[in-house]
């Protein structure tokens, strides 16, 4: 009986305690609401500052904040992103509320602390508190940009006596680990530059991107094995040469010029390079860049471990004639007489891009090219002879790679890829025809690809043989036609020369007989 009364009394005391606690909290909330409503912002700010000073004077702890968007609020803080990745491992086991993001293969998940969540960490026996906080503006405003005004930040709290260890050792450890996680889990991206009018606004960027998932590798690339291995060795050596480039006083970048007929695999080569080195790709469209200043800004906004490519550079801008001070008179006359050429010239002059050859050279090899590191700059062209020599000299385009027509070694790679064949009795015929005929790897691959379930490997090889024989005959007829045209031109030139000689003889005769030159 006494035990039951004791339990009953205890419950009553507990109930009274919770009632009193609830009343106290309600009273504090009422006081806080009155404080916010009737105290001006200036006075509130002063009170908060003095309160913080008082707390910091009494408390043995200190804290450091890492804001997501410091400064102008448009460029995300790298430290914030790195800390977010570091806490992905700790958050999954310690936090109660998590945020999840898809990474790498679009199937793996990366976890991080949700807003206003707190976890603990330990380093060399020191206990550290991390908190993820969000500030929402009290005043409401209408904006076309979502979440504008909301600020996020991480706070790390620790005992004052560990200040040196935390600031000089622990935080560097967190950043290093976060960068390692970023390299391991990052999704490689394919970027395209935006026009400058789209660079402004809430968290707008100069580049738009999609996830890069191209399957090309050097194993599937149709190329001579020796030449392929040479390129692989060059790329791997470059990726490990940070200290070497610093030693010789050069920016850590390398230029590649890929040239050859259409369909020889220039774009596929770039994809294979990106997959080998695990690099992002920035596809720079020069016609969307208004001037040299914008070009430099785009370069600054690219990351390291990246390929900056300009495809078909001979078609992107007129970079070959910008060194000429004036057009030749005969070219000008031709343009005036030919309305098509005049229209093309007017269209070219009307383009908005004012990027010059000088600006592009500085972009590749000037002082601005040293902003960042571990970058490949790749140009592709079908007509290398059209490019200004200054643009492709060694030091700018360090390695020139010719991608030509399909040879037998490249064909064997394609046969293995498309038909799973290492050898076949038709390989000898194909070898002979490839030596006599120019056919791109793209055309060879198209003929090797089965078009229906009924087509087997031998059918595809026969299709390729027929295509090669057709191409050989077309090339023979074309050569014959060109030879015929050449002969006709030679005859026409001879006739013109004969007429010219006759005209000169007539002129001399008229001068001798009459002492004057006849008109006409």
């Amino acid at each position: 009986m006494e035990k039951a009364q004791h339990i009953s009394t205890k419950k009553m005391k507990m109930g009274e305690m919770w009632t009193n606690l609830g009343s106290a909290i309600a009273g504090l909330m009422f006081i806080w609401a009155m404080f916010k409503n009737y105290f001006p912002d200036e006075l509130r700010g002063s009170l908060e500052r003095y309160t913080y000073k008082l707390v910091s004077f009494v408390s043995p702890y200190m804290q450091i904040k890492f804001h997501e968007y410091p400064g102008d609020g448009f460029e995300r803080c790298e430290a914030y992103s790195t800390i977010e990745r570091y806490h992905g491992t700790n958050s999954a086991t310690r936090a109660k509320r998590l945020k999840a993001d898809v990474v790498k293969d679009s199937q793996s998940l990366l976890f991080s602390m949700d807003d206003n969540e707190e976890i603990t960490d330990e380093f060399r026996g020191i206990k550290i508190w991390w908190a993820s906080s969000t500030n929402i503006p009290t005043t409401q405003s209408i904006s076309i940009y979502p979440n504008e005004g909301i600020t996020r930040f991480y706070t790390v709290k620790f005992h004052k006596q560990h200040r040196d260890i935390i600031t000089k050792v622990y935080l560097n450890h967190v950043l290093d680990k976060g960068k390692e996680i970023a390299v391991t889990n990052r999704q490689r991206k394919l970027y395209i530059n935006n026009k400058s009018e789209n660079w402004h606004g809430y968290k707008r960027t100069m580049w738009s991107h999609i996830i890069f998932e191209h399957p090309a590798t050097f194993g599937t690339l149709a190329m001579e094995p020796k030449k392929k291995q040479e390129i692989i060795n060059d790329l791997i050596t470059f990726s490990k040469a940070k200290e070497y480039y610093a030693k010789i006083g050069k920016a850590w970048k390398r230029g590649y010029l890929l040239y050859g007929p259409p369909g020889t695999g220039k774009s596929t080569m770039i994809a294979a390079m990106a997959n080998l080195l695990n690099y992002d790709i920035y596809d720079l469209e020069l016609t969307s860049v208004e001037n040299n200043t914008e070009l430099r800004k785009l370069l600054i906004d690219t990351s390291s471990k990246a390929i900056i490519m300009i495809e078909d550079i001979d078609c992107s801008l007129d970079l070959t004639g910008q060194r000429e001070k004036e057009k030749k008179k005969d070219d000008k006359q031709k343009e005036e007489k030919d309305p098509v050429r005049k229209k093309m010239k007017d269209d070219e002059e009307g383009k908005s891009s004012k990027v010059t050859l000088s600006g592009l050279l500085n972009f590749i090899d000037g002082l601005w090219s040293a902003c960042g590191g571990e970058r490949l700059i790749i140009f592709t062209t079908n007509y290398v002879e059209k490019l200004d020599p200054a643009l492709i000299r060694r030091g700018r385009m360090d390695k020139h790679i010719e991608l030509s027509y399909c040879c037998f070694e490249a064909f064997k790679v394609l046969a293995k890829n498309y038909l799973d064949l290492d050898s076949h009795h038709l390989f000898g015929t194909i070898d002979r025809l490839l030596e006599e005929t120019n056919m791109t790897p793209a055309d060879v691959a198209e003929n090797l690809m089965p078009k229906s379930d009924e087509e087997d490997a031998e059918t595809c090889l026969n299709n390729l043989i027929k295509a090669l024989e057709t191409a050989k005959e077309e090339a023979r007829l074309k050569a014959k036609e060109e030879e015929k045209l050449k002969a006709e031109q030679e005859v026409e030139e001879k006739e013109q020369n004969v007429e010219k000689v006759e005209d000169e003889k007539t002129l001399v005769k008229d001068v001798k007989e009459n002492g004057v030159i006849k008109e006409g």
Side-chain angles (χ1 to χ4, degrees):
M1 186 69 178
E2 292 179 359
K3 187 176 181 180
Q5 289 178 349
H6 176 71
I7 293 172
S8 178
T9 303
K10 189 175 181 180
K11 287 182 177 179
M12 289 177 64
K13 289 181 179 180
M14 288 290 290
E16 291 176 0
M17 184 183 72
W18 284 111
T19 302
N20 294 333
L21 180 61
S23 300
I25 293 173
L28 289 172
M29 292 178 65
F30 176 76
I31 293 171
W32 176 247
M34 296 293 291
F35 174 76
K36 289 177 66 178
N37 288 332
Y38 295 102
F39 279 76
D41 293 338
E42 295 80 3
L43 180 59
R44 248 192 292 163
S46 299
L47 286 174
E48 287 176 358
R49 284 197 298 273
Y50 285 114
T51 302
Y52 289 144
K53 287 183 178 180
L54 180 62
V55 170
S56 64
F57 181 77
V58 177
S59 174
Y61 297 97
M62 68 176 294
Q63 65 181 23
I64 302 173
K65 282 185 180 180
F66 296 89
H67 288 271
E68 183 179 15
Y69 288 95
D72 59 11
F74 292 103
E75 185 175 355
R76 199 172 195 234
C77 177
E78 185 178 350
Y80 182 94
S81 303
T82 307
I83 291 168
E84 187 175 43
R85 298 186 194 102
Y86 171 80
H87 286 307
T89 304
N90 291 338
S91 301
T93 56
R94 299 179 185 180
K96 294 181 180 179
R97 293 180 297 114
L98 300 170
K99 291 187 296 186
D101 191 15
V102 180
V103 297
K104 206 166 187 178
D105 55 3
S106 300
Q107 296 178 354
S108 306
L109 290 175
L110 177 65
F111 295 101
S112 59
M113 285 189 290
D114 197 3
D115 295 339
N116 303 313
E117 181 67 4
E118 183 175 308
I119 63 171
T120 58
D121 196 10
E122 189 171 314
F123 182 75
R124 296 184 181 180
I126 302 171
K127 191 173 183 181
I128 302 152
W129 292 266
W130 282 94
S132 174
S133 305
T134 304
N135 281 343
I136 301 175
T138 54
T139 56
Q140 299 295 323
S141 60
I142 299 175
S143 173
I144 61 174
Y145 305 116
N147 302 325
E148 185 170 20
I150 297 176
T151 59
R152 295 181 175 85
F153 56 90
Y154 281 112
T155 304
V156 56
K157 187 171 71 172
F158 51 90
H159 200 284
K160 290 179 179 179
Q161 67 181 11
H162 304 306
R163 178 176 185 146
D164 287 343
I165 295 177
I166 298 299
T167 57
K168 297 179 181 179
V169 182
Y170 172 70
L171 290 179
N172 288 333
H173 162 77
V174 169
L175 295 177
D176 290 341
K177 288 293 183 182
K179 290 175 182 176
E180 290 178 10
I181 294 170
V183 172
T184 303
N185 294 333
R186 77 185 184 113
Q187 290 176 312
R188 288 185 299 113
K189 298 172 182 177
L190 174 61
Y191 293 87
I192 183 70
N193 52 299
N194 299 321
K195 290 189 175 181
S196 57
E197 57 261 31
N198 298 324
W199 290 3
H200 309 288
Y202 180 66
K203 299 181 186 177
R204 295 296 183 92
T205 62
M206 300 179 186
W207 299 89
S208 298
H209 71 267
I210 60 171
I211 303 304
F212 180 71
E213 296 177 326
H214 200 290
T217 66
F218 275 95
T220 61
L221 204 62
M223 182 183 283
E224 297 175 15
K226 185 178 179 180
K227 189 174 182 180
K228 187 189 301 186
Q229 190 59 47
E230 178 189 332
I231 297 169
I232 292 172
N233 293 341
D234 188 83
L235 290 168
I236 293 175
T237 301
F238 166 80
S239 67
K240 298 177 180 178
K242 181 179 181 179
E243 294 180 358
Y244 178 77
Y245 274 80
K247 174 186 173 184
I248 63 177
K250 289 187 65 175
W252 191 16
K253 65 175 184 60
R254 189 158 175 79
Y256 283 80
L257 175 67
L258 309 183
Y259 65 97
T264 51
K266 294 182 286 293
S267 298
T268 306
M269 167 72 78
I270 295 173
M273 289 178 169
N275 286 328
L276 175 69
L277 299 177
N278 200 27
Y279 282 7
D280 294 327
I281 297 179
Y282 288 83
D283 183 5
L284 179 59
E285 178 55 58
L286 284 178
T287 55
S288 298
V289 185
E290 289 192 4
N291 51 51
N292 296 335
T293 301
E294 287 189 5
L295 186 63
R296 288 192 289 268
K297 289 180 180 179
L298 285 167
L299 175 65
I300 294 171
D301 203 46
T302 59
S303 64
S304 59
K305 293 185 178 295
I307 293 173
I308 302 173
M309 72 171 186
I310 304 177
E311 291 197 287
D312 297 319
I313 189 168
D314 54 292
C315 302
S316 297
L317 293 172
D318 182 15
L319 300 172
T320 58
Q322 292 179 0
R323 289 178 177 267
E324 298 178 6
K325 292 183 178 179
E326 58 181 10
K327 295 286 185 180
K328 293 181 180 179
K329 291 184 178 180
D330 55 344
D331 288 344
K332 187 175 181 180
Q333 291 173 354
K334 287 179 181 178
E335 287 173 0
E336 291 175 353
K337 292 178 181 179
D338 189 343
V340 176
R341 292 184 64 178
K342 189 175 187 300
K343 179 68 167 57
M344 290 175 64
K345 181 186 175 184
D346 293 340
D347 291 344
E348 191 70 26
E349 290 177 351
K351 287 184 179 179
S352 60
S353 180
K354 297 296 185 293
V355 174
T356 64
L357 178 61
S358 174
L360 187 60
L361 296 181
N362 287 328
F363 173 85
I364 301 166
D365 197 35
L367 294 177
W368 291 96
S369 67
C371 300
E374 198 171 358
R375 291 194 184 104
L376 298 179
I377 300 176
I378 301 179
F379 293 164
T380 72
T381 179
N382 297 332
Y383 307 100
V384 67
E385 65 278 358
K386 290 184 178 182
L387 300 180
D388 193 296
L391 187 65
I392 59 176
R393 69 162 175 81
R394 308 293 177 174
R396 290 193 174 113
M397 293 294 103
D398 304 285
K399 191 169 182 63
H400 295 191
I401 302 174
E402 182 180 8
L403 298 174
S404 189
Y405 295 104
C406 190
C407 63
F408 183 64
E409 292 297 326
F411 158 75
K412 288 197 294 185
V413 174
L414 293 173
K416 179 66 176 176
N417 293 342
Y418 284 80
L419 303 175
D420 202 23
L421 288 178
D422 292 312
S423 63
H424 194 275
H425 69 273
L426 293 176
F427 276 19
T429 304
I430 294 172
D431 185 9
R432 175 179 56 80
L433 287 170
L434 286 173
E435 289 181 356
E436 300 170 351
T437 311
N438 289 334
M439 181 174 283
T440 65
D443 288 331
V444 172
E446 178 61 25
N447 284 286
L448 291 179
M449 183 180 291
K451 306 302 187 298
S452 66
D453 294 336
E454 290 75 23
E455 291 190 354
D456 56 11
E458 186 161 345
T459 303
C460 294
L461 292 176
N462 281 316
N463 290 340
L464 175 59
I465 290 172
K466 291 177 183 177
L468 286 168
E469 289 174 342
T470 302
K472 180 180 177 181
E473 179 62 18
E474 289 176 352
R476 187 186 69 80
L477 293 175
K478 184 178 180 181
K480 187 176 180 180
E481 184 66 24
E482 289 176 352
E483 186 177 348
K484 181 181 177 181
L485 289 173
K486 185 178 178 181
E488 290 176 353
Q489 288 176 355
E490 289 176 353
V491 170
E492 186 177 349
E493 288 175 0
K494 287 180 180 179
E495 291 176 351
Q496 289 176 352
N497 290 334
V498 170
E499 290 178 359
K500 186 177 180 181
V501 170
E502 292 296 329
D503 290 342
E504 289 176 352
K505 288 180 178 179
T506 303
L507 179 63
V508 171
K509 183 179 179 181
D510 288 341
V511 170
K512 286 181 178 180
E513 292 179 355
N514 305 317
V516 295
I517 301 175
K518 291 183 179 181
E519 293 184 359

